[in-house]
Amino acid sequence: MEIASVHNPRVKDWAQLLEKKHRTRQGKYIIEGVHLVQEALEHGAMIECIAYDMDKGIPSELGAYPRTASTVEWIAVSAAVIAKCTDTVTPQAVFAVIRKDEKQVDELLVKPDSLVIVLDRLQDPGNVGTIIRSADAAGADGVILGRGSADVYNPKTIRSTMGSFFHLPVVEADLSEVLPAAKQAGVTLVSTSLTAEHSCYSYDFKGSRWLVIGNEGSGVSDEVSRLVDDAVIIPSKGQAESLNAAMAATVLLFEAMRQRHF
């Protein structure tokens, strides 16, 4: 199948996926680039279709997939269609439309000794994507995004994950419901504080530990703060006032990984 016109009804639907309200309405999102499309194919994402530049053909890295992924529709499109449906300055030659997989938080609640990152109103898509990538690298069991956080299906968020979005559960949830349930299941909630008694290097991250990362400007909300069990400080030797949210989350994740596995 080929689509050349940007006025095609399917193209209009795809282009709308650049906005959150349409992603919510359609229950779909869009990813761009060979690497992300590969990750989606390899990890069983619910791909509706893959659109590729009709002048360049299917990228060589994806050449084997049309024969193995029979449920995926492959569509040749014009460069103008690709430009309309993607948000990067220099669009890549392929994008995919994927149906949302609304993962549930329950699997994280019942997992023994779970290591989970909880994001409380974290609003920068780049930070959210980087934290998902770090959580994947550190072997965390999942990431929970509370209300008021950046949309995980935002193209910039997904690009920032570098494919890790497809490797572990990433769940959107109401923290006022999820966190009390987690505590009831035996989870210890840990956040960072400049006045904490524990250093992150002396704190015991073994067992079920959920790491709570707050908003870039105002930190953890009062409502969530009241639920937190322990606070740690990330010691600093230099003169930087603080680390940004993604860097702080990464330090905690890798210290937890070190204690648990090394």
Side-chain angles (χ1 to χ4, degrees):
M1 182 178 181
E2 290 190 358
I3 299 177
S5 171
V6 294
H7 303 296
N8 181 286
R10 289 190 76 178
V11 174
K12 289 180 178 177
D13 283 344
W14 296 340
Q16 286 182 339
L17 295 175
L18 296 174
E19 295 182 51
K20 181 177 181 177
K21 64 180 180 181
H22 294 295
R23 291 193 290 271
T24 302
R25 181 178 61 80
Q26 293 188 39
K28 300 172 189 174
Y29 61 100
I30 207 159
I31 61 171
E32 177 189 350
V34 170
H35 176 66
L36 283 176
V37 173
Q38 268 185 308
E39 293 285 355
L41 282 163
E42 288 175 7
H43 291 88
M46 296 187 293
I47 303 172
E48 181 178 283
C49 64
I50 296 172
Y52 60 92
D53 191 316
M54 59 174 59
D55 294 329
K56 297 177 181 176
I58 294 173
S60 59
E61 299 92 332
L62 305 178
Y65 291 105
R67 293 185 293 279
T68 58
S70 57
T71 58
V72 177
E73 183 182 11
W74 294 73
I75 305 171
V77 300
S78 64
V81 168
I82 290 177
K84 186 176 177 68
C85 298
T86 55
D87 73 340
T88 49
V89 177
T90 309
Q92 297 194 46
V94 63
F95 68 85
V97 175
I98 304 181
R99 291 184 290 280
K100 287 185 181 181
D101 177 10
E102 302 290 2
K103 297 182 179 73
Q104 301 301 314
V105 77
D106 300 356
E107 62 181 283
L108 298 176
L109 288 171
V110 299
K111 194 171 183 74
D113 299 331
S114 59
L115 177 64
V116 173
I117 278 275
V118 178
L119 305 184
D120 178 22
R121 302 171 304 119
L122 206 68
Q123 292 173 336
D124 181 84
N127 275 341
V128 171
T130 299
I131 289 171
I132 292 169
R133 187 178 177 186
S134 293
D136 177 25
D141 296 296
V143 180
I144 299 174
L145 282 79
R147 287 185 181 160
S149 297
D151 180 18
V152 71
Y153 298 103
N154 179 314
K156 184 177 179 184
T157 308
I158 294 180
R159 273 200 305 278
S160 299
T161 73
M162 292 296 290
S164 289
F165 175 75
F166 299 110
H167 300 171
L168 76 170
V170 180
V171 183
E172 295 178 310
D174 184 340
L175 298 187
S176 65
E177 295 174 4
V178 170
L179 297 185
K183 287 165 70 80
Q184 194 137 20
V187 170
T188 301
L189 302 178
V190 187
S191 69
T192 58
S193 168
L194 293 173
T195 58
E197 291 178 27
H198 293 286
S199 151
C200 66
Y201 302 119
S202 62
Y203 183 78
D204 183 2
F205 283 103
K206 299 186 188 76
S208 283
R209 298 287 187 271
W210 287 19
L211 314 178
V212 182
I213 304 297
N215 174 272
E216 291 90 346
S218 55
V220 177
S221 64
D222 290 343
E223 183 183 23
V224 171
S225 241
R226 286 191 285 271
L227 296 168
V228 168
D229 300 294
D230 295 327
V232 299
I233 186 169
I234 299 174
S236 176
K237 194 77 173 144
Q239 297 179 55
E241 196 174 300
S242 62
L243 300 177
N244 82 0
M247 293 170 71
T250 300
V251 170
L252 297 184
L253 280 162
F254 274 75
E255 174 58 17
M257 178 187 72
R258 185 193 69 77
Q259 289 186 23
R260 288 162 171 250
H261 302 291
F262 297 98

